[in-house]
Amino acid sequence: METTNQSLKPLTTKINENGNLEIGGCDLVDLAEKYGTPLYVVDEYTLRAVCNDYKNAFKKYPKVNMMYASKALCNMGISSILSNEGFGFDVVSSGEIYTVFKAGVDMSKVLFNGNNKSFDELSLALKLGVGRISVDNFFELSLLDEIAKSYGKTADILLRITPGIECHTHEYIQTGHLDSKFGFDLTQIDEAVELIINNYKNLRLHGLHAHIGSQIFETSIYGDEIEILIKEIARIDEKFGLKLDEINAGGGLGVKYTDNDCPPSVYTIADIMINRLNECVEKYNIEPPALFIEPGRSIISTAGVTLYTLGSSKQVPKGKTYFAVDGGMADNARPSMYGAEYFAQVANKPDYELSTSVTIAGRFCESGDILIKDIKLPDLEEGDILCVYNTGAYNYSMSSNYNRVQKPAMVLVNNSQSDIIVNRETLEDLIAHDEIPQRLRK
Ligand code: LLP
């Protein structure tokens, strides 16, 4: 069965009676006019559909827990939808912890990840009652034990391990290979467990955690990852008599940015993980552990699009035709950072005949600020509204104020209604943290 991550566009995308694209029952040209561009648009129906994909696909394993990886897109509106869908949260900073806390999330369903969590961040996590902390390294074990002791608390932890699995994705977003900066090497696990048992009395170890990478299209590696986690749990039980009852397999499932991408369905991944889990429970003779997964991109990417207004254009003699939009690498760093490819349509000309290829340039002062290379679009004019698909994940969350440009607004659309969930930054917001030292003032 096809799942939402395999769709190029939000599920509610269609051409309406005005001849324009609409999403969530909202005309994209009207949205651009009402809220301005660039504009991030999130389709609530698509977001809830993918949550259901995950819940249905994994329901065969009763002890499963979905944790949304907030790093893909974190704000209070999105957090409250995911919390309402029954998801927990993977967070990686004070900012993400505070956002989900303020959104009213049940903090016992939050897991704090990261390879260099600070004293202040770990303290905040304990203070706000974050359910699990995935400890990444020896330094953090000792730091967290000390902080937990000073609060008179016991920290509930997982150990992040590096399973030694290489996935075929962009090298910047591989994480599970052996010389990764994340987690304990398999050969270091015993030392960490010994330290927890003998020295760190304020830590309670519940299980193991791994994450192999992102935008992954391979399927069998999820089974291999599960086997490594189970095998280690069984080994720890045998060697230390310590029964761990949680495994967290991270995120990573890919999405369809262009027609060339064929990500597997959530059902395929779920079946591979659950079958291997059941097999391994038998093989290694352990009690079935609780399974945690933490998808980010595959939850939020497809639900999101970005609207831009087309401005200037340039025909290089005997070269490319460039059209520039009013956003670019500051609201979507992925093309310039990873060479990521995107698909787009013109919201006010969705069914016009496609003409020659154009290159969509951003408005930022760098030659590398190209959003889409060589895409076939209809004849373009200044003022056309471009809809770039699959921008829900790692766009707003990686956005910057480069060139001192304000970050765009984000609207949630559903049933013909649109609501702001992130306000557009103002010029005042941009200077809000600046100070001119007294001695420089005239
Ligand atoms: N869990 C952990 C521990 C992670 O490090 C990540 C992503 C996830 C879960 C969620 O993975 P996902 O399901 O989203 O693939 N900025 C890059 C992606 C970096 C992913 C970092 N870790 C990009 O734009 O492609």
Side-chain angles (χ1 to χ4, degrees):
M1 202 192 319
E2 178 158 300
T3 50
T4 311
N5 65 308
Q6 298 176 302
S7 170
L8 197 55
K9 304 176 186 178
L11 303 179
T12 60
T13 310
K14 62 177 190 191
I15 300 176
N16 64 16
E17 63 282 2
N18 304 328
N20 293 335
L21 281 175
E22 73 166 44
I23 293 177
C26 296
D27 186 310
L28 298 187
V29 180
D30 291 348
L31 289 181
E33 198 171 314
K34 181 167 178 192
Y35 299 103
T37 56
L39 181 68
Y40 296 113
V41 179
V42 176
D43 182 31
E44 187 174 339
Y45 179 88
T46 304
L47 175 53
R48 290 193 189 268
V50 78
C51 291
N52 283 326
D53 288 338
Y54 269 99
K55 285 188 267 188
N56 290 331
F58 279 90
K59 73 176 170 215
K60 278 191 273 176
Y61 193 73
K63 293 204 234 169
V64 71
N65 300 273
M66 314 287 175
M67 315 285 279
Y68 167 63
S70 301
K71 58 180 78 64
L73 173 61
C74 184
N75 58 53
M76 287 165 60
I78 296 299
S79 304
S80 69
I81 295 176
L82 284 150
S83 172
N84 174 264
E85 287 292 334
F87 276 59
F89 293 81
D90 147 27
V91 295
V92 291
S93 65
S94 293
E96 289 185 357
I97 293 175
Y98 192 64
T99 306
V100 299
F101 173 70
K102 289 301 244 186
V105 162
D106 172 358
M107 297 306 280
S108 70
K109 290 171 80 175
V110 175
L111 164 72
F112 187 19
N113 277 316
N115 70 313
N116 190 21
K117 306 176 191 78
S118 71
F119 179 92
D120 288 350
E121 288 176 317
L122 290 168
S123 304
L124 182 71
L126 287 181
K127 200 168 115 199
L128 297 184
V130 160
R132 293 283 181 272
I133 297 175
S134 181
V135 177
D136 185 274
N137 51 65
F138 289 108
F139 169 70
E140 193 185 322
L141 276 179
S142 127
L143 180 64
L144 182 60
D145 183 64
E146 215 172 281
I147 300 171
K149 189 171 177 189
S150 72
Y151 278 101
K153 291 191 174 187
T154 303
D156 292 298
I157 66 165
L158 305 176
L159 285 183
R160 168 81 182 257
I161 66 160
T162 315
I165 294 173
E166 205 149 314
C167 61
H168 298 102
T169 185
H170 193 288
E171 71 170 301
Y172 289 3
I173 51 180
Q174 285 180 345
T175 42
H177 55 295
L178 279 178
D179 60 358
S180 153
K181 73 168 184 176
F182 295 103
F184 291 92
D185 189 86
L186 292 178
T187 59
Q188 297 172 320
I189 295 178
D190 286 3
E191 189 183 343
V193 172
E194 263 165 37
L195 282 166
I196 295 165
I197 293 175
N198 299 324
N199 299 21
Y200 298 139
K201 301 293 179 197
N202 304 283
L203 305 183
R204 188 185 299 122
L205 180 61
H206 293 267
L208 301 180
H209 175 213
H211 168 76
I212 46 186
S214 200
Q215 184 59 359
I216 302 175
F217 290 176
E218 293 148 289
T219 53
S220 59
I221 50 173
Y222 287 102
D224 300 341
E225 184 193 13
I226 293 283
E227 174 138 13
I228 290 171
L229 287 165
I230 299 283
K231 196 170 156 190
E232 286 304 310
I233 280 191
R235 210 182 50 74
I236 290 169
D237 185 7
E238 196 174 309
K239 181 158 178 191
F240 299 100
L242 183 63
K243 294 209 183 310
L244 302 181
D245 56 7
E246 292 178 13
I247 58 168
N248 182 323
L253 176 60
V255 300
K256 190 175 178 74
Y257 285 108
T258 70
D259 266 328
N260 298 328
D261 294 331
C262 296
S265 93
V266 181
Y267 286 93
T268 306
I269 297 300
D271 286 350
I272 287 176
M273 285 172 121
I274 295 169
N275 292 342
R276 192 72 166 267
L277 186 46
N278 289 332
E279 261 171 54
C280 287
V281 161
E282 293 269 305
K283 179 169 164 192
Y284 297 99
N285 192 24
I286 60 159
E287 282 295 308
L291 169 66
F292 290 73
I293 52 163
E294 40 186 33
R297 185 191 317 265
S298 55
I299 296 285
I300 194 68
S301 179
T302 320
V305 304
T306 308
L307 305 182
Y308 300 97
T309 304
L310 282 166
S312 64
S313 59
K314 172 179 177 179
Q315 169 70 62
V316 180
K318 300 195 191 116
K320 284 187 189 306
T321 307
Y322 287 98
F323 268 88
V325 290
D326 51 357
M329 65 191 295
D331 57 78
N332 183 359
R334 302 192 70 262
S336 51
M337 202 161 168
Y338 314 116
E341 293 183 355
Y342 283 87
F343 175 64
Q345 283 184 298
V346 179
N348 50 310
K349 299 174 177 172
D351 52 359
Y352 285 30
E353 201 186 321
L354 302 180
S355 67
T356 50
S357 285
V358 295
T359 287
I360 303 296
R363 49 98 21 107
F364 295 91
C365 298
E366 287 206 26
S367 312
D369 180 24
I370 300 293
L371 272 185
I372 307 181
K373 276 188 195 141
D374 300 325
I375 178 169
K376 284 211 170 212
L377 290 171
D379 283 337
L380 298 173
E381 294 151 281
E382 182 226 313
D384 283 342
I385 303 297
L386 190 74
C387 171
V388 178
Y389 291 101
N390 252 297
T391 60
Y394 303 113
N395 273 229
Y396 173 74
S397 67
M398 291 168 65
S399 63
S400 76
N401 290 116
Y402 185 43
N403 289 176
R404 208 68 163 168
V405 171
Q406 303 102 290
K407 290 187 187 175
M410 186 176 295
V411 294
L412 183 71
V413 293
N414 197 26
N415 286 330
S416 308
Q417 197 182 323
S418 61
D419 297 287
I420 285 273
I421 52 171
V422 180
N423 285 297
R424 186 175 301 282
E425 282 183 345
T426 62
L427 292 175
E428 284 306 316
D429 289 334
L430 289 177
I431 58 165
H433 300 282
D434 291 7
E435 297 287 350
I436 302 177
Q438 196 59 47
R439 66 188 172 77
L440 297 181
R441 292 185 195 173
K442 293 227 168 64

